[in-house]
mmCIF file of all heavy atoms in Angstrom:
data_model
loop_
_atom_site.group_PDB
_atom_site.id
_atom_site.type_symbol
_atom_site.label_atom_id
_atom_site.label_comp_id
_atom_site.label_asym_id
_atom_site.label_seq_id
_atom_site.Cartn_x
_atom_site.Cartn_y
_atom_site.Cartn_z
ATOM 1 N N ILE B 116 2.728 -3.450 -17.854
ATOM 2 C CA ILE B 116 3.241 -3.488 -19.233
ATOM 3 C C ILE B 116 2.122 -4.008 -20.186
ATOM 4 O O ILE B 116 1.170 -4.566 -19.850
ATOM 5 C CB ILE B 116 4.409 -4.234 -19.257
ATOM 6 C CG1 ILE B 116 5.442 -3.879 -18.181
ATOM 7 C CG2 ILE B 116 5.072 -4.203 -20.646
ATOM 8 C CD1 ILE B 116 5.722 -2.474 -18.198
ATOM 9 N N LEU B 117 2.424 -3.633 -21.425
ATOM 10 C CA LEU B 117 1.674 -4.204 -22.488
ATOM 11 C C LEU B 117 1.439 -5.704 -22.536
ATOM 12 O O LEU B 117 2.253 -6.440 -21.977
ATOM 13 C CB LEU B 117 2.207 -3.793 -23.832
ATOM 14 C CG LEU B 117 3.742 -3.511 -23.775
ATOM 15 C CD1 LEU B 117 4.456 -4.485 -24.805
ATOM 16 C CD2 LEU B 117 4.080 -2.084 -24.037
ATOM 17 N N SER B 118 0.439 -6.163 -23.118
ATOM 18 C CA SER B 118 0.158 -7.566 -23.044
ATOM 19 C C SER B 118 0.263 -8.197 -24.430
ATOM 20 O O SER B 118 0.897 -9.376 -24.561
ATOM 21 C CB SER B 118 -1.322 -7.865 -22.562
ATOM 22 O OG SER B 118 -2.231 -7.100 -23.316
ATOM 23 N N ALA B 119 -0.370 -7.708 -25.430
ATOM 24 C CA ALA B 119 -0.403 -8.461 -26.776
ATOM 25 C C ALA B 119 -0.320 -7.519 -27.903
ATOM 26 O O ALA B 119 -0.874 -7.754 -28.950
ATOM 27 C CB ALA B 119 -1.597 -9.297 -26.752
ATOM 28 N N GLU B 120 0.391 -6.311 -27.684
ATOM 29 C CA GLU B 120 0.466 -5.419 -28.845
ATOM 30 C C GLU B 120 1.815 -5.361 -29.349
ATOM 31 O O GLU B 120 2.070 -5.243 -30.519
ATOM 32 C CB GLU B 120 0.083 -3.988 -28.337
ATOM 33 C CG GLU B 120 0.099 -3.012 -29.334
ATOM 34 C CD GLU B 120 0.432 -1.610 -28.719
ATOM 35 O OE1 GLU B 120 1.002 -1.463 -27.538
ATOM 36 O OE2 GLU B 120 0.185 -0.584 -29.371
ATOM 37 N N ASN B 121 2.770 -5.484 -28.481
ATOM 38 C CA ASN B 121 4.295 -5.367 -28.821
ATOM 39 C C ASN B 121 5.048 -6.249 -28.124
ATOM 40 O O ASN B 121 6.032 -5.907 -27.434
ATOM 41 C CB ASN B 121 4.692 -3.973 -28.532
ATOM 42 C CG ASN B 121 6.075 -3.606 -29.358
ATOM 43 O OD1 ASN B 121 6.290 -4.267 -30.234
ATOM 44 N ND2 ASN B 121 6.809 -2.636 -28.749
ATOM 45 N N PRO B 122 4.718 -7.546 -28.238
ATOM 46 C CA PRO B 122 5.331 -8.677 -27.349
ATOM 47 C C PRO B 122 6.865 -8.683 -27.485
ATOM 48 O O PRO B 122 7.564 -9.000 -26.476
ATOM 49 C CB PRO B 122 4.651 -9.858 -27.832
ATOM 50 C CG PRO B 122 4.197 -9.602 -29.139
ATOM 51 C CD PRO B 122 3.808 -8.138 -29.163
ATOM 52 N N LEU B 123 7.399 -8.400 -28.655
ATOM 53 C CA LEU B 123 8.837 -8.567 -29.012
ATOM 54 C C LEU B 123 9.574 -7.279 -28.640
ATOM 55 O O LEU B 123 9.155 -6.118 -29.065
ATOM 56 C CB LEU B 123 9.034 -8.987 -30.362
ATOM 57 C CG LEU B 123 9.189 -10.455 -30.602
ATOM 58 C CD1 LEU B 123 10.445 -10.986 -29.845
ATOM 59 C CD2 LEU B 123 7.893 -11.191 -30.186
ATOM 60 N N SER B 124 10.670 -7.318 -28.024
ATOM 61 C CA SER B 124 11.483 -6.159 -27.724
ATOM 62 C C SER B 124 12.930 -6.602 -28.022
ATOM 63 O O SER B 124 13.461 -7.436 -27.331
ATOM 64 C CB SER B 124 11.334 -5.661 -26.361
ATOM 65 O OG SER B 124 12.221 -4.725 -26.061
ATOM 66 N N GLY B 125 13.508 -5.876 -28.962
ATOM 67 C CA GLY B 125 14.851 -6.407 -29.415
ATOM 68 C C GLY B 125 14.709 -7.549 -30.388
ATOM 69 O O GLY B 125 15.242 -8.635 -30.245
ATOM 70 N N GLU B 126 13.950 -7.341 -31.414
ATOM 71 C CA GLU B 126 13.811 -8.354 -32.472
ATOM 72 C C GLU B 126 15.079 -8.598 -33.279
ATOM 73 O O GLU B 126 15.872 -7.739 -33.256
ATOM 74 C CB GLU B 126 12.703 -7.981 -33.308
ATOM 75 C CG GLU B 126 11.529 -7.282 -32.563
ATOM 76 C CD GLU B 126 10.679 -6.440 -33.373
ATOM 77 O OE1 GLU B 126 10.476 -6.816 -34.463
ATOM 78 O OE2 GLU B 126 10.370 -5.373 -32.831
ATOM 79 N N THR B 127 15.177 -9.733 -33.964
ATOM 80 C CA THR B 127 16.423 -9.918 -34.690
ATOM 81 C C THR B 127 15.996 -10.264 -36.184
ATOM 82 O O THR B 127 15.883 -11.474 -36.526
ATOM 83 C CB THR B 127 17.115 -11.088 -34.140
ATOM 84 O OG1 THR B 127 16.447 -12.250 -34.117
ATOM 85 C CG2 THR B 127 17.559 -10.651 -32.716
ATOM 86 N N PRO B 128 15.856 -9.271 -37.011
ATOM 87 C CA PRO B 128 15.538 -9.446 -38.499
ATOM 88 C C PRO B 128 16.685 -10.060 -39.250
ATOM 89 O O PRO B 128 17.781 -10.266 -38.721
ATOM 90 C CB PRO B 128 15.174 -8.096 -38.936
ATOM 91 C CG PRO B 128 15.955 -7.228 -38.056
ATOM 92 C CD PRO B 128 16.148 -7.872 -36.819
ATOM 93 N N ASN B 129 16.454 -10.358 -40.409
ATOM 94 C CA ASN B 129 17.558 -10.879 -41.384
ATOM 95 C C ASN B 129 18.063 -9.675 -42.181
ATOM 96 O O ASN B 129 17.517 -9.307 -43.131
ATOM 97 C CB ASN B 129 16.904 -11.921 -42.241
ATOM 98 C CG ASN B 129 18.011 -12.712 -42.979
ATOM 99 O OD1 ASN B 129 19.357 -12.365 -42.791
ATOM 100 N ND2 ASN B 129 17.675 -13.616 -43.797
ATOM 101 N N PRO B 130 19.177 -9.136 -41.774
ATOM 102 C CA PRO B 130 19.666 -7.859 -42.371
ATOM 103 C C PRO B 130 20.300 -8.139 -43.813
ATOM 104 O O PRO B 130 21.495 -8.600 -43.728
ATOM 105 C CB PRO B 130 20.645 -7.430 -41.442
ATOM 106 C CG PRO B 130 21.036 -8.556 -40.644
ATOM 107 C CD PRO B 130 20.010 -9.671 -40.815
#
Side-chain angles (χ1 to χ4, degrees):
Chain B
I116 310 305
L117 24 119
S118 56
E120 177 209 23
N121 194 24
L123 269 295
S124 171
E126 321 153 41
T127 61
N129 193 359

